[in-house]
Amino acid sequence: CIMTGLHNPSCPYQFVVIEGNIGAGKTSLAKKISNEYQAKIILERFADNPFLPKFYKNSERFAFPVELSFLADRYNQLKNELQDRDIFSTFTIADYYFMKSLIFARNTLATDEYNLYSQIFHIIYQALPKPDLYVFLHLETEKLMKNIQSRGRNYESDITEAYLDDIRAGYFEFFKQQKDFRVVIVDTNQIDFVCNEDHYNRLVNTLFTREYALGINHIVIEP
């Protein structure tokens, strides 16, 4: 990895979300920022979901219970973690946000199941705090596939480019409806913020020093 002495600014936000498609590097970025700023980090937990093994064997039958279980777990985690302030942390950063549940469910559930799920989601969604800054890492599908393949997770082996395109479309459609918090879509196709420290610093400096309006903002990080 390439190192640099560039100093990053302080974070002006209390709750930051780093999102992105599968393989975009959201968890890696959230961890790097958390380590640098001594921020409290909230990471998505999915390994212990009891419905996942059943879902992989019979997705049609178990899609609804697996999505409901994710919905409940994400709500409980975010609600508890965001209420429990850590006096030793500068701010809170998460590698997912609650709306992820709706976006993925749209690609998993049958229409009637999704309509019911959506009603439940929106009732619960209103009770959660909104992020001060929501960052979406935009990476081309081909690069997402390479990242997914390189990390070699068995449960990701059947992911297709079409599925990733559908997930991205779901995110962008949801962003169009958001007017009450800052959504920053970051084009990261030209940088490697995981292994290139200079690229990482450029990204963090851009996120924490610019003024962003409520709703959608687009930026490109160049090497």
Side-chain angles (χ1 to χ4, degrees):
C1 292
I2 302 173
M3 304 300 291
T4 180
L6 181 64
H7 177 70
N8 283 324
S10 60
C11 176
Y13 307 106
Q14 289 299 308
F15 179 28
V16 178
V17 169
I18 306 294
E19 266 278 27
N21 212 329
I22 304 168
K26 51 188 174 292
T27 302
S28 296
L29 180 58
K31 286 181 177 179
K32 286 175 71 71
I33 293 176
S34 174
N35 290 335
E36 178 179 358
Y37 289 87
Q38 290 77 54
K40 179 178 180 178
I41 189 167
I42 303 174
L43 299 177
E44 183 179 14
R45 53 194 185 194
F46 53 86
D48 296 331
N49 189 309
F51 291 100
L52 267 183
K54 299 177 183 179
F55 172 74
Y56 292 139
K57 293 181 179 179
N58 191 336
S59 59
E60 184 175 344
R61 179 180 177 184
F62 290 101
F64 193 65
V66 79
E67 294 296 350
L68 277 182
S69 62
F70 275 129
L71 184 76
D73 186 64
R74 287 167 180 157
Y75 171 75
N76 286 326
Q77 183 184 24
L78 288 173
K79 181 175 180 291
N80 294 333
E81 294 283 0
L82 292 174
Q83 284 182 344
D84 184 18
R85 288 284 183 178
D86 186 345
I87 61 174
F88 299 105
S89 298
T90 53
F91 61 96
T92 299
I93 188 166
D95 73 341
Y96 78 98
Y97 191 50
F98 191 61
M99 69 181 198
K100 177 177 184 176
S101 300
L102 189 67
I103 293 166
F104 278 77
R106 184 177 183 180
N107 288 275
T108 306
L109 302 178
T111 301
D112 56 343
E113 292 177 333
Y114 175 76
N115 290 337
L116 174 59
Y117 183 94
S118 179
Q119 293 179 44
I120 300 171
F121 169 88
H122 282 99
I123 292 172
I124 300 175
Y125 179 60
Q126 301 304 318
L128 284 174
K130 304 298 187 293
D132 300 306
L133 182 69
Y134 180 102
V135 179
F136 183 85
L137 305 176
H138 174 58
L139 200 61
E140 295 174 355
T141 303
E142 181 180 350
K143 294 182 178 180
L144 293 173
M145 290 295 294
K146 289 182 180 179
N147 290 344
I148 292 169
Q149 292 166 3
S150 66
R151 60 194 188 189
R153 298 173 180 172
N154 290 333
Y155 58 86
E156 294 179 340
S157 60
D158 293 330
I159 291 177
T160 64
E161 292 189 5
Y163 180 75
L164 294 175
D165 290 341
D166 287 342
I167 294 298
R168 179 188 294 113
Y171 272 110
F172 286 178
E173 185 62 32
F174 194 90
F175 294 154
K176 294 176 184 178
Q177 307 169 30
Q178 303 311 305
K179 307 295 182 183
D180 55 351
F181 61 85
R182 303 170 186 86
V183 175
V184 180
I185 301 175
V186 187
D187 187 330
T188 60
N189 283 287
Q190 301 181 56
I191 64 170
D192 180 359
F193 55 79
V194 175
C195 286
N196 187 311
E197 201 70 9
D198 181 60
H199 291 178
Y200 163 75
N201 284 314
R202 288 173 185 267
L203 174 56
V204 173
N205 271 272
T206 300
L207 293 176
F208 291 170
T209 60
R210 292 189 184 181
E211 292 286 338
Y212 297 105
L214 297 178
I216 301 177
N217 303 264
H218 295 270
I219 61 174
V220 178
I221 307 297
E222 297 181 348

